[in-house]
Amino acid sequence: MNADRSVDVEHPVFVGEPTQTHEPRVHAAWLPPEAFRSLGARRVLVHGEGLLVDTVLDEVSRACARYGGRVWHSPSWNVDVDLVLALRAAGELPNPAVEAARSAGEAALGDGEPLGDEGFLLARDGDVTVVLADAPGGLLYGLFHVVRLCAAAFDPTRPPERHRPASRRRMLNHWDNVAVHPVMGQVERGYAGGSIFWRDGCARGDLARVRAYGRLLAASGVNAISVNNVNVARTEALLLTDRLGDVADIADVLRPYGIRVHLSVSFAAPVLLGGLPTADPHDEAVRDWWAAATRRVYDRIGDFGGYLVKADSEGQPGPFTYGRDHADGANLLAEALAPHGGVVHWRAFVYDHHQDWRDRSTDRARAAYDHFTPLDGKFRTNVVLQVKYGPVDFQTREPVSPVLAAMPATRVALEVQVTQEYTGQQRHICHLGPWWGEVLRFAPWGPGGRTIAEMAVGEAGSGGGLVAVANTGDDPFWTGHPLAQANLYTFGRLAWDPRLDPTAVLDEWMTLTFPPSATAEPELVRRTLHEIMDDSWRTYERYTAPLGVGFMVHPGDHYGPDVDGYEYSRWGTYHFADRDGVGVDRSRASGTGFAGQYPPYWAQVYESPRTCPDELLLFFHHVPYSHVLHNGSTVIQHIYDTHFAGVEETETMRRRWRTLNGMIDPTVYERVAERLDEQVRCATEWRDQVNTYFFRKSGVPDARGRRIY
Ligand code: GCV
């Protein structure tokens, strides 16, 4: 064991570099120094060794230096402390109080169940709070739990608790390009400035920012990150070989926060980079090439996470070129990664993007199921099939993808989109937690059955977990809209535990981001933020595309309304509005048959407009404007009412936000205020275009005589 590294406030132990979150230039998000006040005012003993324990020590030391506490590093056993963060395996536990807390905690929790690499136990004994873990990762997550709890972590009556992440991997995908893409820019579907990793064809080199990002992610629960776009162009393909050093540099700064790096790779890499004539997964030379390339990656980055692949999709190369299926493709890469413990995330987002709008028999919503379910059971165990939450494409409302329930012999991950491509692009407030909560609670076999959350987690965490497309960039607020930080935080927390209540998570985020001790009128601020954010996804839904029909967005940039923007395009996203009605018939009886991809309970519910839930009616059925919804309104009147209501709600949001002027940081206030003006403007445009379109199509006036153009 090391010599005593007792630390006092004058001489804190800094194991890492100071991060930029302490500089005014970059917003501290959910880790402002003030969030550490409760911890930092205490006497803390950190017991154990290892890179991540050093991170814990560094965090605690900085907090104590700021708020007057003290830190000791083991083996300083005979000190009076308020908090002990200890590795159970690090020899004898520091003192009798810790030992007692451990026994009390374990007894109360019923056993000495293993905590795994990332789990921890929190228990009290007398005046001491003890966090115990079996591995350094657990201690790091335990530390951030204490930060989240603030003073409650030191409540003498707090019962013992055990925490373990539901899934081993909790992953963010960055759609960042190394070279600026002529259409998509530096970050595809990025609404928060440039990339924190890449700029104009090169690595940015500003690793302090990346490190600060890792810290934020660790505090939310994320532990894996892919650093380049799933659309892999030539420059990005080189990250696997010639530019691997750039990836290794990122891995080095994220490692102290327990985050592993993954790479999006091109399926055609053996041709593009290796000069082979083919990328056929059955070709021996191709397999050797992947094995050798992967070995070189692990020689450089020992804890490399694995590959992410978008194949045969929207122009990306894939196994179809060689007459092979996606199990052949995924297994090729999985075989190369297996000896090193790596994993392939293989995306199920495969569909025909050259569809003819005249062809009513092809349905994009069916594609992933049709391609992938015949392959169930054929994937290697280190393949995770990554499935978007809905069958089409990250719309504000879609039914949950039937693929998630249809592949019991495959590890399936749920993919959500934190970047708000179709949900207001971080110019609109649209808190997505409630939407993800609905998806996670969906029970594909019917009410009371297993949920999507349970399937993603799998038996004892063996499922694919949750993956999200990141919403971060080099914007000073990280996410463009300061309140969009809540979506990123919520994703991390739900990935850690998909059973969490998204509104409670939002509350947690508020407490960290706007710490009550540093906020005038904290209760008023909290209440107002809840009023603005809690229902903001439904507000967004009200003023955009109605009743689940989706895709009435402006083509290309996907921002703002364009009702017929995709109606005659090749992308397979149509609404079929005519003078009599609107919606897509996806029933088995008369439509594309998509409804039949669900297990019997939902297949039956979705099959008929009589039973289909209102919010998905137009996704599954083409109905007359006079069709009466379960809520008693006609379709046309519902369209008018929701669009008027949605705009009024954005005006109310703006009014409420203005009441916070002077109570919160002025730069945050101004940025949000400015974006709310844009949200109201854009929502008004949505309302007027959608209402006018349907009024002109149907000729049915608004029953309440409001202005339609
Ligand atoms: C990365 C949608 C987006 C594309 C994105 C694609 C995907 O189609 O518009 O920008 O490409 O999804 O998920 O691969």
Side-chain angles (χ1 to χ4, degrees):
M1 191 155 304
N2 279 354
D4 190 342
R5 285 161 63 188
S6 161
V7 181
D8 66 23
V9 283
E10 284 82 33
H11 305 286
V13 172
F14 284 101
V15 218
E17 296 298 310
T19 64
Q20 289 191 353
T21 46
H22 299 280
E23 292 174 15
R25 201 164 65 75
V26 178
H27 188 246
W30 50 87
L31 291 182
E34 191 64 25
F36 289 75
R37 177 181 285 280
S38 178
L39 168 78
R42 303 283 194 313
R43 298 160 302 172
V44 186
L45 172 59
V46 178
H47 178 65
E49 301 293 334
L51 180 64
L52 273 67
V53 178
D54 289 346
T55 306
V56 170
L57 197 53
D58 173 40
E59 290 287 343
V60 175
S61 301
R62 278 191 284 134
C64 289
R66 183 178 282 265
Y67 294 110
R70 285 195 66 169
V71 189
W72 293 266
H73 188 199
S74 57
S76 301
W77 293 4
N78 296 318
V79 286
D80 283 337
V81 290
D82 308 302
L83 172 67
V84 176
L85 295 143
L87 280 186
R88 287 204 283 204
E92 218 177 315
L93 285 172
N95 65 30
V98 180
E99 195 48 62
R102 178 178 77 159
S103 323
E106 287 175 354
L109 294 167
D111 52 37
E113 199 184 286
L115 296 166
D117 287 347
E118 300 180 310
F120 61 91
L121 182 88
L122 184 142
R124 293 274 307 175
D125 180 68
D127 295 336
V128 186
T129 297
V130 177
V131 174
L132 292 170
D134 287 341
L139 222 49
L140 182 66
Y141 291 115
L143 165 78
F144 286 124
H145 186 63
V146 169
V147 172
R148 263 195 306 271
L149 290 174
C150 304
F154 303 96
D155 176 352
T157 63
R158 189 169 189 88
E161 41 192 289
R162 183 196 299 114
H163 297 269
R164 276 188 73 161
S167 305
R168 262 181 59 193
R169 202 168 301 98
R170 306 170 297 278
M171 187 179 189
L172 274 182
N173 294 166
H174 274 258
W175 286 356
D176 297 17
N177 299 313
V178 178
V180 177
H181 185 276
V183 179
M184 292 298 170
Q186 190 77 68
V187 180
E188 180 151 350
R189 311 306 180 187
Y191 311 107
S195 164
I196 58 170
F197 305 117
W198 320 107
R199 181 161 53 201
D200 292 337
C202 300
R204 285 184 69 131
D206 177 7
L207 293 170
R209 181 84 195 245
V210 176
R211 186 185 161 95
Y213 187 49
R215 180 172 178 258
L216 285 171
L217 295 185
S220 79
V222 167
N223 72 350
I225 184 171
S226 60
V227 294
N228 63 305
N229 193 356
V230 288
N231 291 332
V232 185
R234 170 133 190 109
T235 312
E236 291 72 24
L238 288 167
L239 293 173
L240 180 63
T241 53
D242 304 26
R243 290 173 175 248
L244 183 61
D246 294 338
V247 184
D249 290 344
I250 295 171
D252 285 346
V253 294
L254 293 177
R255 191 169 295 114
Y257 286 99
I259 296 170
R260 286 182 177 208
V261 163
H262 296 236
L263 262 188
S264 297
V265 293
S266 168
F267 192 76
V271 179
L272 275 177
L273 309 175
L276 298 186
T278 178
D280 182 351
H282 287 189
D283 187 291
E284 206 55 44
V286 169
R287 288 156 73 148
D288 290 348
W289 188 87
W290 276 110
T294 306
R295 204 174 314 115
R296 281 192 297 272
V297 172
Y298 279 92
D299 285 346
R300 194 74 192 266
I301 310 169
D303 59 355
F304 179 71
Y307 300 140
L308 167 63
V309 189
K310 171 176 176 178
D312 292 316
S313 171
E314 299 183 335
Q316 290 297 302
F320 286 165
T321 307
Y322 309 99
R324 312 296 181 199
D325 65 32
H326 278 238
D328 295 325
N331 290 342
L332 165 74
L333 274 65
E335 189 181 81
L337 287 158
H340 313 282
V343 68
V344 188
H345 282 77
W346 190 269
R347 296 180 82 225
F349 183 60
V350 178
Y351 71 100
D352 174 9
H353 70 293
H354 286 288
Q355 204 179 312
D356 183 344
W357 59 268
R358 298 165 192 85
D359 164 19
R360 296 286 278 256
S361 65
T362 306
D363 179 6
R364 172 169 165 178
R366 292 189 56 115
Y369 184 102
D370 289 342
H371 284 304
F372 284 93
T373 56
L375 304 178
D376 189 30
K378 295 196 176 153
F379 292 97
R380 290 185 63 122
T381 50
N382 62 331
V383 175
V384 173
L385 187 67
Q386 192 168 306
V387 182
K388 290 190 181 186
Y389 61 76
V392 179
D393 197 1
F394 296 138
Q395 297 302 287
T396 314
R397 176 78 74 169
E398 289 184 50
V400 172
S401 169
V403 178
L404 292 160
M407 303 196 59
T410 305
R411 290 171 76 194
V412 173
L414 172 72
E415 180 180 322
V416 300
Q417 198 185 37
V418 189
T419 196
Q420 292 171 236
E421 177 177 359
Y422 296 99
T423 51
Q425 303 199 346
Q426 283 136 253
R427 285 183 249 182
H428 297 216
I429 298 172
C430 182
H431 180 55
L432 292 165
W435 177 210
W436 300 332
E438 277 194 22
V439 171
L440 288 164
R441 286 191 303 275
F442 180 73
W445 286 276
R450 287 184 79 206
T451 61
I452 294 295
E454 284 162 345
M455 282 173 343
V457 166
E459 295 302 323
S462 61
L466 268 60
V467 180
V469 185
N471 66 345
T472 30
D474 69 357
D475 170 73
F477 291 100
W478 297 97
T479 53
H481 201 305
L483 303 187
Q485 291 172 1
N487 283 331
L488 184 61
Y489 181 81
T490 302
F491 167 73
R493 297 287 289 134
L494 290 179
W496 175 278
D497 183 357
R499 292 159 311 182
L500 291 175
D501 167 14
T503 305
V505 172
L506 181 62
D507 201 59
E508 218 175 80
W509 171 80
M510 284 174 193
T511 307
L512 289 167
T513 308
F514 303 97
S517 52
T519 308
E521 307 265 17
E523 271 321 303
L524 180 66
V525 170
R526 181 194 300 272
R527 200 174 55 241
T528 308
L529 284 170
H530 273 297
E531 284 166 353
I532 291 171
M533 296 176 77
D534 285 2
D535 208 33
S536 54
W537 160 61
R538 288 194 180 81
T539 292
Y540 187 83
E541 182 181 29
R542 281 179 202 116
Y543 62 76
T544 55
L547 298 165
V549 76
F551 263 100
M552 290 182 170
V553 288
H554 185 254
D557 65 10
H558 296 169
Y559 185 74
D562 190 341
V563 181
D564 276 342
Y566 277 100
E567 199 54 16
Y568 306 101
S569 76
R570 61 187 166 95
W571 296 95
T573 50
Y574 316 116
H575 55 69
F576 302 125
D578 56 29
R579 65 179 185 174
D580 300 318
V582 56
V584 190
D585 185 353
R586 292 188 161 111
S587 68
R588 274 169 300 167
S590 52
T592 68
F594 168 74
Q597 292 185 339
Y598 289 85
Y601 176 87
W602 288 107
Q604 210 178 337
V605 167
Y606 293 145
E607 177 67 13
S608 160
R610 278 193 313 281
T611 46
C612 185
D614 286 349
E615 66 273 14
L616 289 172
L617 182 68
L618 303 184
F619 192 95
F620 282 102
H621 298 283
H622 186 90
V623 295
Y625 295 115
S626 57
H627 175 90
V628 179
L629 299 168
H630 300 295
N631 69 15
S633 184
T634 59
V635 164
I636 190 74
Q637 193 56 42
H638 177 89
I639 292 174
Y640 298 151
D641 288 346
T642 48
H643 284 77
F644 282 114
V647 173
E648 281 164 24
E649 288 161 21
T650 61
E651 286 163 348
T652 307
M653 281 177 176
R654 180 167 63 178
R655 219 172 24 253
R656 289 189 165 130
W657 182 257
R658 286 178 179 164
T659 66
L660 298 183
N661 196 1
M663 290 184 207
I664 54 172
D665 181 291
T667 56
V668 174
Y669 176 82
E670 286 305 333
R671 175 69 77 92
V672 175
E674 181 189 293
R675 294 201 174 203
L676 271 164
D677 287 344
E678 166 56 15
Q679 183 165 4
V680 173
R681 184 208 65 77
C682 188
T684 306
E685 200 58 36
W686 269 101
R687 178 195 68 193
D688 291 342
Q689 288 202 25
V690 171
N691 283 350
T692 301
Y693 178 94
F694 284 105
F695 173 60
R696 289 182 185 173
K697 280 268 174 198
S698 69
V700 180
D702 172 31
R704 293 173 56 194
R706 289 162 292 192
R707 179 140 200 216
I708 295 177
Y709 296 85

